[in-house]
Amino acid sequence: MDSGKRFTLSWRVYVIVVGMLFSLIGDSAAALGLALDAAHSGTSWNVTEVYVAGLVPPILFAPLVGVLADRWRARRLWIVSVLAQAVALGAATAVPALHFRIAMLAVAGVFGVAAAAVGFKLLPELAGSEHLSRANSAVSVANSASGLLGPSLGATVHALWGSTTLLGYDALSFLVIAGAALIAVPASSDSRATVKAHPFRGAGAGFTALRASSVIGPMLPLLAGLMLATSIEGVAGVFYIRGVVNNDTWYGYVVACWALGSIPGAVLAGKNALLHRQGQLVVIGAGMMSAGLLVAGLVPNGFVIAAAFVLAGLGNGAHNVAVRNSVHSTVPDAFHGQAWAAYSAMARVSVLAGYVLGTPGEVLTPRALVIASGALPLALTLGVSLLFWRRDAGRTPRADATGPQARQEKDSLPT
């Protein structure tokens, strides 16, 4: 392959990623705006309602929308899903009632799972197999950038004009995504869809495909535990880190260090030189995240916590790209949408549990919870590393963990 072309992504991928960036920033800013409205309502449970609304409905509907992503016309489903999100958030913009807006956020979240599953399924076609790792890297960079820009934009705009403006921007951002899908996704994508008489039959196949994956299957406990741990820190860290830096502004800067580190991590993981090391990257990234959280809890110093978060973010960015690459390479193409929807549901269950467990109480202090959020996934990381080492110790080394042999294995998975 020509070296000048090896690192070139299709214009179609760039169009989709830019559209995603606009939308992800809008999602992050709008969610923060609603959380701030809930915090000012005088009822603390309203804040919980905002976060639960963004998690529970997508968990319940993820297996069904994943099946649609694999069996319906992918391009059409993507456009319908993002337009439905635009309508839901447009309604939230028009009606200034907190609980109605939270309900519309939940509706948008369900269609968001469908859009994410379809986007994941279509990415190999848009990027081409030789550029898929870099395309996954670009998507992860967009996610990280939105985590960096969305909260600051949300806080600023909310202070000036309120959450109505944020919801309106978020609604418009989905029109941008719809336009990007119309432009960048070939109409021929729909002609290859498989529409069955019972479209929701086998809705659990996504979880089966993940378990059968030679890379992701053995790591599912680690992946779930890691997401649980970071969510525990997300709640407990509000109390612990704010207490350490003693300033809300500096707290925001420290938390932003995680997103800042994740951008170069995602870029590095997309390098072709690491294409055959995706399973290792998943584990190494998990170890870096765990170590960063553990150091942050053990050393109550703002500068040390900021540096630890940069390290953890670096691992998080690489980890996310490697997970996407591993699912793409070890799960049969016909189950990509269902597998990614199942993974999203697992992630949300873990996050929801983390929010509950991360609330400081009488037994564990915020600092103890942050330490636990690092120690738990670090132990799981070491356990998974030992499992893979023992599994591969008696076998001939494979040069390509996600290459031709992996593709042969994935095509023979039970369906």
Side-chain angles (χ1 to χ4, degrees):
M1 182 180 296
D2 183 79
S3 60
K5 295 182 179 179
R6 185 169 52 190
F7 301 109
T8 302
L9 279 176
S10 165
W11 65 269
R12 298 180 188 277
V13 175
Y14 285 116
V15 169
I16 292 298
V17 169
V18 170
M20 285 180 58
L21 179 60
F22 274 99
S23 180
L24 289 167
I25 290 174
D27 290 347
S28 178
L32 178 64
L34 283 182
L36 291 173
D37 284 350
H40 293 148
S41 69
T43 303
S44 59
W45 281 106
N46 285 343
V47 178
T48 304
E49 183 184 351
V50 172
Y51 290 111
V52 169
L55 292 171
V56 174
I59 290 171
L60 298 176
F61 288 96
L64 302 182
V65 298
V67 170
L68 282 181
D70 283 325
R71 298 180 182 175
W72 203 46
R73 301 181 184 276
R75 180 174 181 262
R76 188 176 301 178
L77 178 59
W78 201 354
I79 294 170
V80 168
S81 297
V82 295
L83 288 178
Q85 288 175 279
V87 170
L89 289 162
T93 304
V95 180
L98 178 61
H99 295 292
F100 177 80
R101 286 180 164 179
I102 294 174
M104 290 300 98
L105 182 68
V107 171
V110 173
F111 286 101
V113 173
V118 175
F120 184 85
K121 182 176 182 64
L122 286 175
L123 193 61
E125 177 181 343
L126 298 178
S129 59
E130 68 274 22
H131 303 305
L132 181 57
S133 181
R134 284 180 56 79
N136 276 324
S137 174
V139 171
S140 294
V141 167
N143 273 291
S144 298
S146 69
L148 190 62
L149 299 174
S152 57
L153 175 68
T156 302
V157 173
H158 186 272
L160 294 173
W161 299 295
S163 58
T164 297
T165 302
L166 293 171
L167 290 165
Y169 167 78
D170 201 17
L172 290 174
S173 74
F174 287 110
L175 298 181
V176 173
I177 279 280
L182 281 170
I183 294 170
V185 181
S188 58
S189 299
D190 282 349
S191 65
R192 289 187 290 277
T194 304
V195 182
K196 298 187 177 182
H198 303 284
F200 294 118
R201 180 175 293 170
F207 294 100
T208 302
L210 287 178
R211 290 196 302 271
S213 165
S214 59
V215 175
I216 297 298
M219 295 190 190
L220 286 176
L222 170 61
L223 297 173
L226 189 62
M227 288 180 280
L228 172 72
T230 54
S231 301
I232 289 174
E233 188 283 326
V235 177
V238 174
F239 302 95
Y240 168 62
I241 299 173
R242 285 175 69 246
V244 170
V245 300
N246 200 29
N247 183 288
D248 285 351
T249 302
W250 281 106
Y251 164 75
Y253 290 151
V254 170
V255 172
C257 286
W258 189 296
L260 190 64
S262 66
I263 294 175
V267 172
L268 289 173
K271 298 292 185 181
N272 282 1
L274 297 174
L275 185 59
H276 308 321
R277 298 289 182 264
Q278 296 303 304
Q280 296 173 23
L281 276 180
V282 173
V283 177
I284 291 171
M288 292 173 67
M289 293 166 68
S290 305
L293 290 171
L294 186 58
V295 169
L298 291 174
V299 185
N301 177 279
F303 293 105
V304 173
I305 295 173
F309 273 20
V310 171
L311 172 69
L314 188 70
N316 197 176
H319 174 88
N320 288 343
V321 174
V323 168
R324 292 179 63 92
N325 284 337
S326 298
V327 174
H328 270 135
S329 62
T330 62
V331 170
D333 296 349
F335 292 91
H336 276 171
Q338 294 169 81
W340 196 249
Y343 182 78
S344 298
M346 183 187 76
R348 284 173 166 83
V349 170
S350 300
V351 169
L352 184 60
Y355 285 163
V356 175
L357 295 175
T359 303
E362 298 297 329
V363 179
L364 292 178
T365 65
R367 184 183 179 188
L369 286 167
V370 172
I371 292 173
S373 75
L376 168 66
L378 187 59
L380 288 171
T381 300
L382 294 174
V384 168
S385 299
L386 179 62
L387 173 67
F388 273 83
W389 178 78
R390 293 183 63 182
R391 189 184 72 173
D392 296 337
R395 302 195 316 191
T396 302
R398 290 186 296 174
D400 185 354
T402 56
Q405 183 168 342
R407 286 191 290 272
Q408 183 178 2
E409 289 175 359
K410 82 165 188 175
D411 289 339
S412 64
L413 291 177
T415 57

